[in-house]
Amino acid sequence: MEPADSNTPFMSRRQALKLLGAGIASAALPLPGRLSAAPRTAEVDPGSITRSFPRGGPRVPAIGLGTFMTFDLLPGQPRDHLREVFRRFWAAGGRQVDTSPLYGAAETNVGDFAESLGVGQRLFVSNKVWATGDYLGSADQAELGFAQSQQRLWRSGLDVMQCHNLVNVDVVVPLLQRWKREGRIKYVGISHHEIEYFDSLTTWIEKGQVDVVQVRYSLATRQAETGVLRAADEHGVAVMAAMPLEKARLHQLVAGRPLPSFAAELGIETWSQYFLKWVISHPAVTCALPATSNPAHLVENMGAMRGPLPDPPMRQRMLAHVQAIPGFDALESRPWYPQKTYPGLVSAALQELRGP
């Protein structure tokens, strides 16, 4: 039986301040050893495609796991399917999970699944800060969020912390650098999925102050190639590719269509593998972060990190084939996750805002 509070994701700001004010926040963290002892990640499967994190970092599999919407559930709802997604992810050689306190119950679910499987301290976790502070220059909300994420994920330290969507970036990046010096995190990152912010991501990479960038990159959204990916390659910055499947819109585009015959040359058996192999074949990309709540789809995704990757001529051939499909140019106008629903905390909150 699961603990009664296993799906309860929130600690209120008042509770957190009370803990910190009493000087017992560290005692409240369910963590072995010192806070500064960053977790060690697991050995990866030698048969999978892996990439090195920057500056002598570990090798991680080229396919990770995103959790936006897909790992968010209302408290008390069945979640065995998500537990199975995580189990299959680890069994298939997956090691990196990307999550965020913004994703409702996602952090809590990741932490619970990883710990129950006995891999909590070996998982490579990338997380996010999305906080403005109580006043200009304040970092207090980021500090509280970090403590909350540790509790939810059941971790003494985190591998990557990102200034999400560049919110309060001038304050948060120096804060992340301090956390890195203190050993609380391993890597400083920034992220954004909106194309109009790609130039800002590029500027931060060129400043030399970040180790990791998360950016939207797919067959349909290639704008990151000329700025973000180029700069990351030149400065030795890891790239985590968000939305590599365009939140199921690429699958909707090819629904009912057979794979092209040339896909067999790369051992591609599904459209998921087609899209993901194209993404991770870019030399600047460290890993792709597809998200799913379907165990069978997870297995398909993980198949993309085995076998040969396309070379530049094949990448162009793969792109041209998909570009020729009617509706490709209108992909951006389609809603995320077509014909899918994720009734979690985030969806409930957004529905409440919209009203009846």
Side-chain angles (χ1 to χ4, degrees):
M1 179 179 295
E2 294 176 348
D5 63 350
S6 62
N7 254 344
T8 304
F10 292 118
M11 176 178 69
S12 73
R13 177 173 172 77
R14 179 175 298 176
Q15 290 171 319
L17 283 169
K18 183 178 179 181
L19 287 174
L20 291 172
I24 60 171
S26 60
L29 297 176
L31 310 169
R34 292 166 48 106
L35 178 67
S36 61
R40 300 179 66 180
T41 52
E43 296 281 334
V44 297
D45 185 342
S48 62
I49 299 169
T50 62
R51 302 281 166 71
S52 291
F53 255 68
R55 302 163 178 85
R59 295 192 71 84
V60 296
I63 301 295
L65 180 64
T67 58
F68 176 65
M69 300 298 286
T70 55
F71 266 56
D72 182 24
L73 291 171
L74 293 172
Q77 294 301 302
R79 57 178 186 164
D80 285 348
H81 62 297
L82 293 184
R83 191 180 299 276
E84 182 63 10
V85 166
F86 188 89
R87 188 194 69 79
R88 294 190 186 189
F89 173 71
W90 188 269
R95 294 297 180 265
Q96 181 184 355
V97 174
D98 182 75
T99 190
S100 170
L102 298 172
Y103 298 172
E107 283 183 317
T108 301
N109 284 326
V110 169
D112 183 40
F113 300 156
E115 195 63 24
S116 64
L117 199 60
V119 301
Q121 299 304 312
R122 295 185 288 158
L123 192 67
F124 190 98
V125 178
S126 54
N127 208 328
K128 302 179 179 74
V129 173
W130 194 68
T132 59
D134 283 340
Y135 50 85
L136 186 63
S138 168
D140 62 327
Q141 291 185 21
E143 289 280 4
L144 289 174
F146 184 78
Q148 180 176 258
S149 291
Q150 287 179 287
Q151 291 176 331
R152 292 175 175 178
L153 291 164
W154 209 256
R155 296 272 294 217
S156 60
L158 297 174
D159 297 285
V160 179
M161 284 295 284
Q162 305 157 80
C163 180
H164 188 46
N165 285 358
L166 299 177
V167 172
N168 202 23
V169 64
D170 292 318
V171 172
V172 171
V173 165
L175 176 67
L176 298 183
Q177 291 169 338
R178 175 165 64 81
W179 289 353
K180 180 181 176 181
R181 291 193 299 271
E182 294 170 350
R184 300 166 70 183
I185 64 174
K186 293 180 182 177
Y187 299 109
V188 174
I190 52 175
S191 73
H192 219 302
H193 71 278
E194 294 182 10
I195 296 167
E196 54 264 38
Y197 288 91
F198 286 7
D199 286 345
S200 296
L201 291 177
T202 301
T203 298
W204 275 95
I205 293 170
E206 292 173 341
K207 288 181 179 180
Q209 298 182 20
V210 299
D211 307 308
V212 183
V213 61
Q214 183 173 160
V215 65
R216 179 179 172 189
Y217 182 56
S218 73
L219 264 167
T221 306
R222 304 179 303 283
Q223 289 89 336
E225 290 179 341
T226 56
V228 178
L229 299 191
R230 174 195 53 77
D233 188 47
E234 291 176 354
H235 291 266
V237 169
V239 175
M240 301 188 298
M243 297 177 61
L245 303 177
E246 288 294 329
K247 298 193 183 302
R249 293 179 295 184
L250 279 171
H251 282 88
Q252 184 185 46
L253 178 73
V254 299
R257 292 178 175 272
L259 286 165
S261 58
F262 61 78
E265 299 175 28
L266 300 172
I268 291 173
E269 299 177 343
T270 68
W271 279 109
S272 292
Q273 294 168 11
Y274 185 102
F275 301 137
L276 291 171
K277 283 206 171 197
W278 188 90
V279 169
I280 65 173
S281 64
H282 191 288
V285 171
T286 306
C287 66
L289 297 169
T292 184
S293 61
N294 186 315
H297 293 170
L298 183 281
V299 173
E300 289 186 17
N301 294 346
M302 299 306 287
M305 65 177 189
R306 296 183 180 277
L309 291 176
D311 58 15
M314 179 60 84
R315 278 172 56 85
Q316 186 56 42
R317 188 177 184 185
M318 294 170 74
L319 173 61
H321 180 84
V322 177
Q323 284 178 317
I325 297 175
F328 178 84
D329 291 339
L331 200 73
E332 183 68 18
S333 64
R334 298 184 181 187
W336 288 357
Y337 299 118
Q339 301 177 326
K340 297 176 184 285
T341 57
Y342 295 105
L345 293 164
V346 172
S347 293
L350 292 174
Q351 182 59 46
E352 186 176 348
L353 285 174
R354 287 190 288 264

